[in-house]
Amino acid sequence: MQNNENIEVAIIQNTQFKNMVKARNRFAMCLSFSVLLMYFIFIGIASFSPQILAQTLGDRVMPIGMPIAALVIILSWLITGIYIYITNQYFDRIKAKLKQEYQYE
């Protein structure tokens, strides 16, 4: 048990691990901020200027707010997919390399 704790401390103190954690946190915060900004802008427009989203394009019946709402949801899914892809391709490889280097688990 003590040996694993020593290895964990060594990994946590590793510069590569620290840099990876900082980069992952910055990346996650950036993507989270973009999703929140997108939602807040949409909700703000819907709350304070609903006439903008109530407009129709030409002679169509569907208001412009419907496809914009769908776009907000789809972009949120895409941003989540980007996070998962980058995490799996980059950050998880660094973690696996460190585990192998320190012979952890």
Side-chain angles (χ1 to χ4, degrees):
M1 182 71 165
Q2 184 66 23
N3 192 22
N4 273 349
E5 289 175 7
N6 292 338
I7 293 172
E8 289 169 1
V9 169
I11 291 173
I12 290 171
Q13 292 175 348
N14 184 295
T15 305
Q16 188 178 15
F17 179 78
K18 288 179 182 180
N19 291 338
M20 186 266 309
V21 170
K22 285 180 188 176
R24 188 191 63 202
N25 289 343
R26 256 191 322 262
F27 181 64
M29 291 301 289
C30 199
L31 292 181
S32 297
F33 179 74
S34 64
V35 169
L36 284 173
L37 183 66
M38 188 172 45
Y39 273 108
F40 281 126
I41 288 172
F42 179 75
I43 296 300
I45 292 171
S47 298
F48 298 111
S49 296
Q51 67 276 8
I52 293 173
L53 297 176
Q55 294 176 5
T56 58
L57 295 174
D59 59 349
R60 303 197 188 266
V61 178
M62 183 171 53
I64 196 169
M66 298 286 273
I68 291 175
L71 184 64
V72 166
I73 292 169
I74 291 168
L75 286 175
S76 298
W77 290 343
L78 286 174
I79 289 172
T80 301
I82 289 168
Y83 174 78
I84 291 169
Y85 178 79
I86 297 296
T87 299
N88 288 344
Q89 293 299 312
Y90 180 68
F91 299 122
D92 285 352
R93 287 183 182 173
I94 293 172
K95 287 192 297 188
K97 181 181 165 191
L98 287 170
K99 280 184 176 181
Q100 184 180 9
E101 181 182 321
Y102 286 94
Q103 299 174 349
Y104 183 76
E105 290 183 315

